[in-house]
Amino acid sequence: MISRYSTWRAVRTSAAIRLRFKVALLEKIPLFEELSTKETHQIARLVTEIKVPAGTKLAKVGETGGELFAIVDGEAVVRTKPGRTTVLKAGDFFGEMSLIDGQPRSATVEATTPSRLLVLDRRDFWHVLDGKTAIVRKVMQTLCRRLREAEEAG
Ligand code: CMP
């Protein structure tokens, strides 16, 4: 007979395995690469892993945005209002703009292949940025790069 103790231990073990798995996924994302092991474990507790089929719209222009997405596997296309497209690949993140300024989504982002992503909601996003200069720097650098590329594209 399975005792209550062994059931509880099995639940704890599977939670620990899921956490380790999420840590391994987070380690694939450059945004999170300069963190300590402790910080990576803290963030692993906050992120949700999702798997989506090709064609899934993960953000829609004009809608309220409440999450940051990081692509673990797969590809997505960003369609900005003037009809310009940008491809995002494994390791890239998106959805940060609405979290930062509270404005609606600036673009539609659609998975173009079956994809696995990590999702962080608004409150946890700010919690993660708090005191982690390496992440803040990377978010700012990405914003600058996207602005420059958009300017160059005209
Ligand atoms: P957000 O506006 O929250 O939702 C759409 C996301 O698409 C946006 O955040 C950025 O992460 C991303 N995005 C918007 N414009 C560009 C661009 N020109 N190049 C790459 N990504 C973009």
Side-chain angles (χ1 to χ4, degrees):
M1 196 179 95
I2 300 172
S3 71
R4 193 179 291 181
Y5 172 70
S6 59
T7 309
W8 173 78
R9 211 171 48 176
V11 168
R12 272 192 50 158
T13 306
S14 73
I17 290 169
R18 278 203 306 276
L19 186 68
R20 271 211 298 275
F21 182 67
K22 280 200 227 169
V23 166
L25 298 183
L26 275 175
E27 285 171 347
K28 293 179 163 196
I29 310 292
L31 180 62
F32 302 113
E33 74 191 353
E34 283 173 55
L35 300 177
S36 66
T37 306
K38 189 177 164 200
E39 288 170 331
T40 307
H41 276 75
Q42 284 169 349
I43 297 175
R45 287 193 179 86
L46 304 176
V47 294
T48 306
E49 180 212 0
I50 59 165
K51 288 181 193 165
V52 297
T56 306
K57 287 197 170 60
L58 295 153
K60 288 187 192 160
V61 67
E63 290 194 353
T64 304
E67 310 88 12
L68 174 88
F69 298 87
I71 306 175
V72 178
D73 297 306
E75 266 187 31
V77 64
V78 180
R79 294 196 179 91
T80 49
K81 265 184 189 157
R84 208 174 76 83
T85 61
T86 304
V87 174
L88 300 180
K89 297 179 184 275
D92 290 334
F93 65 88
F94 60 92
E96 75 293 346
M97 290 174 62
S98 288
L99 298 193
I100 292 169
D101 66 7
Q103 296 295 306
R105 294 293 195 199
S106 60
T108 295
V109 186
E110 182 180 329
T112 48
T113 64
S115 302
R116 184 203 300 263
L117 302 103
L118 292 174
V119 187
L120 191 64
D121 77 23
R122 176 189 299 277
R123 201 192 49 189
D124 292 333
F125 171 73
W126 287 112
H127 181 64
V128 163
L129 289 192
D130 207 16
K132 297 186 186 68
T133 321
I135 298 191
V136 175
R137 196 172 55 233
K138 283 182 185 169
V139 171
M140 288 169 65
Q141 285 168 343
T142 301
L143 283 169
C144 292
R145 181 169 46 79
R146 289 176 178 168
L147 179 61
R148 285 179 194 279
E149 285 170 2
E151 285 293 316
E152 277 166 22

